[in-house]
Amino acid sequence: MNIFLATEMIMAASAPIADGGTAIEKIGDLVIAIDTVWILLAAMLVFLMQLGFSLVESGFTRSKNTTNILMKNLLDFSTGSLLFWLTGFSLMFGSDIAGFVGSLDLAGFAGWEGDIPREAYLVFQTMFCATAATIVSGAVAERTRFKAYLIYCILISAVIYPVSGHWTWGGGWLSELGFHDFAGSTVVHSVGGWIALAGAAVIGPRIGKYRAGKVNAIPGHNLTVACMGVFLLWLGWFGFNPGSEGAASSLAHATAISSVFLTTNLAAAAGGVSALVLVWIKYGKPTLSLTLNGVLGGLVGITAGCDCVSPLSAVIIGILSGVVMVYAVSFIDRVLKVDDPVGAIAVHGVCGVLGTLCVGLFAIEGGVFTGGGFGLLGVQALGSLATSVWALATGFLIFYGIKKTIGVRVEKRVEEEGLDVYEHGESAYN
């Protein structure tokens, strides 16, 4: 009887239906439709991260430069969208050339294969490109010429990010080695963080930051705005990481997405709490600014392995990220003497590397602490190192080249009085 019913069901599903096609074909279409809607919804959440970055950066800097901060973030997304569509997508996901880069197809999709519409995947990946670009904005804030920043935006979106992204996500040499970066601790965040280090080092510190051997704090003007930005980034990360599952139409996908949601949230919370506790002990006060960056450090740290670690491991990764971020901010500021107004280098560069290495330590399959040996950890270290060197080298070439040609830094008077009026002709607050 069961065999008979199964046969009837198969025949019914294979039979033509009123509006053409079969039930099996319609189910296949529905699966693709569900996956497409999920990817686009995730893209919308990641888009919100642009607002989050805008608020964090403007809150952590002085009010006289707020318009400039907002304009740079708007520029990141606008130019990033156009250039990633024009060249970036094909360089990242096009037919592989020697494991280094995809084949160029201007405003095209040659070489990319997938079930969902290619336009949907382009939109989703565009959000990641814009995120990598906007990380640099905060590190070079309050002293960079707008036209110089525009040149940087063009180059990272059109070439730099797509090339290193191809190595991991486009079928390049790192993917062949088994390098694992689920949603971009290295591909997105570390690239942005190390370019930020190069840019901030070339441009130099803000006036008054280092005097007579002392490091002077230059407080931001609005921690309320910065806190709102972090909450928006936390929300956007629920599209960033779970969206990277790429599908939502099966129970397996639903389970994976749920797990990624959980690990992402736990790491963020643990990063914030660990940073809070450390700064309370270290500085005597539970400072909000470093706690906020602790949350972001936890989010960056879990992004590489959010799909392959346990909830407990996610908490450990978050704690490590929050602690390492605090010490990295101090090291970059006091030892390297690199002026990063928002802590972007520590949060995205350092925690990006840490999170990538943590995959090799905590991955349920292949991690050192789960009995997998050191093979995966070695691949993770190699991938992180290679991508970091690429980002640092290209970032230095860009900003040094701009410095020696059109100039990268505003005049002293402009920096002292504020970039808003001199660079943009308007102020954010009136």
Side-chain angles (χ1 to χ4, degrees):
M1 184 65 176
N2 288 339
I3 296 176
F4 177 73
L5 286 174
T7 303
E8 280 195 332
M9 290 173 65
I10 292 171
M11 292 177 64
S14 301
I17 56 181
D19 58 347
T22 65
I24 291 176
E25 292 171 341
K26 292 297 181 183
I27 292 172
D29 290 345
L30 181 60
V31 166
I32 294 173
I34 291 171
D35 291 342
T36 301
V37 170
W38 166 242
I39 284 292
L40 292 176
L41 286 173
M44 294 177 198
L45 286 172
V46 181
F47 175 72
L48 281 177
M49 293 175 70
Q50 294 297 316
L51 176 56
F53 279 118
S54 299
L55 294 175
V56 168
E57 291 170 20
S58 59
F60 279 162
T61 52
R62 290 167 290 184
S63 60
K64 62 185 180 181
N65 299 308
T66 301
T67 297
N68 180 257
I69 292 287
L70 298 177
M71 191 66 186
K72 287 192 297 181
N73 280 270
L74 181 63
L75 181 71
D76 290 327
F77 189 79
S78 301
T79 58
S81 294
L82 293 170
L83 291 166
F84 193 71
W85 161 73
L86 185 64
T87 65
F89 186 85
S90 62
L91 290 177
M92 190 164 176
F93 296 102
S95 300
D96 180 64
I97 301 175
F100 183 75
V101 68
S103 58
L104 180 63
D105 181 23
L106 290 176
F109 303 87
W112 183 79
E113 296 180 358
D115 294 328
I116 65 171
R118 58 193 185 182
E119 292 84 0
Y121 196 66
L122 167 62
V123 169
F124 183 67
Q125 288 297 331
T126 296
M127 305 301 156
F128 283 60
C129 177
T131 299
T134 205
I135 288 167
V136 180
S137 171
V140 300
E142 301 200 289
R143 72 269 203 203
T144 306
R145 298 180 72 188
F146 186 70
K147 64 174 67 175
Y149 190 80
L150 172 60
I151 294 172
Y152 148 77
C153 275
I154 292 171
L155 293 174
I156 188 174
S157 301
V159 181
I160 296 172
Y161 169 77
V163 169
S164 56
H166 177 80
W167 301 350
T168 301
W169 290 345
W173 67 279
L174 283 178
S175 65
E176 293 295 321
L177 293 176
F179 180 70
H180 185 88
D181 187 4
F182 184 70
S185 287
T186 286
V187 174
V188 178
H189 296 281
S190 193
V191 166
W194 297 128
I195 294 176
L197 174 59
V202 169
I203 296 168
R206 291 167 292 174
I207 295 171
K209 178 64 179 177
Y210 303 107
R211 281 182 177 170
K214 289 183 59 179
V215 179
N216 300 306
I218 303 178
H221 83 283
N222 197 326
L223 284 180
T224 302
V225 167
C227 187
M228 291 170 62
V230 168
F231 273 115
L232 274 174
L233 286 169
W234 198 335
L235 173 64
W237 237 284
F238 292 137
F240 205 93
N241 288 0
S244 294
E245 176 66 19
S249 54
S250 70
L251 180 59
H253 289 311
T255 302
I257 289 169
S258 300
S259 176
V260 172
F261 255 92
L262 178 61
T263 55
T264 299
N265 192 56
L266 289 174
V273 171
S274 66
L276 183 153
V277 172
L278 178 58
V279 299
W280 204 338
I281 294 170
K282 187 175 175 64
Y283 302 115
K285 299 288 184 181
T287 60
L288 176 60
S289 56
L290 283 171
T291 302
L292 292 175
N293 270 344
V295 171
L296 298 181
L299 287 166
V300 171
I302 195 60
T303 295
C306 55
D307 66 318
C308 65
V309 302
S310 69
L312 176 59
S313 294
V315 172
I316 295 171
I317 292 169
I319 291 172
L320 291 173
S321 298
V323 170
V324 168
M325 181 280 304
V326 172
Y327 284 108
V329 165
S330 179
F331 180 81
I332 292 165
D333 195 25
R334 297 179 179 276
V335 178
L336 297 184
K337 295 291 193 294
V338 173
D339 182 14
D340 177 1
V342 304
I345 301 165
V347 168
H348 299 278
V350 176
C351 290
V353 170
L354 175 65
T356 304
L357 296 177
C358 281
V359 173
L361 297 174
F362 296 104
I364 294 172
E365 296 183 9
V368 172
F369 298 141
T370 56
F374 290 89
L376 178 59
L377 179 61
V379 171
Q380 295 299 107
L382 175 62
S384 181
L385 176 63
T387 307
S388 299
V389 169
W390 166 260
L392 270 170
T394 54
F396 177 81
L397 288 174
I398 288 173
F399 283 102
Y400 188 77
I402 297 171
K403 181 178 181 178
K404 291 299 182 181
T405 52
I406 67 169
V408 72
R409 186 169 184 140
V410 297
E411 297 175 0
K412 181 180 178 181
R413 178 184 176 185
V414 175
E415 183 177 345
E416 290 177 336
E417 297 185 19
L419 277 67
D420 287 0
V421 173
Y422 284 94
E423 287 276 283
H424 306 284
E426 54 191 350
S427 176
Y429 302 102
N430 293 297

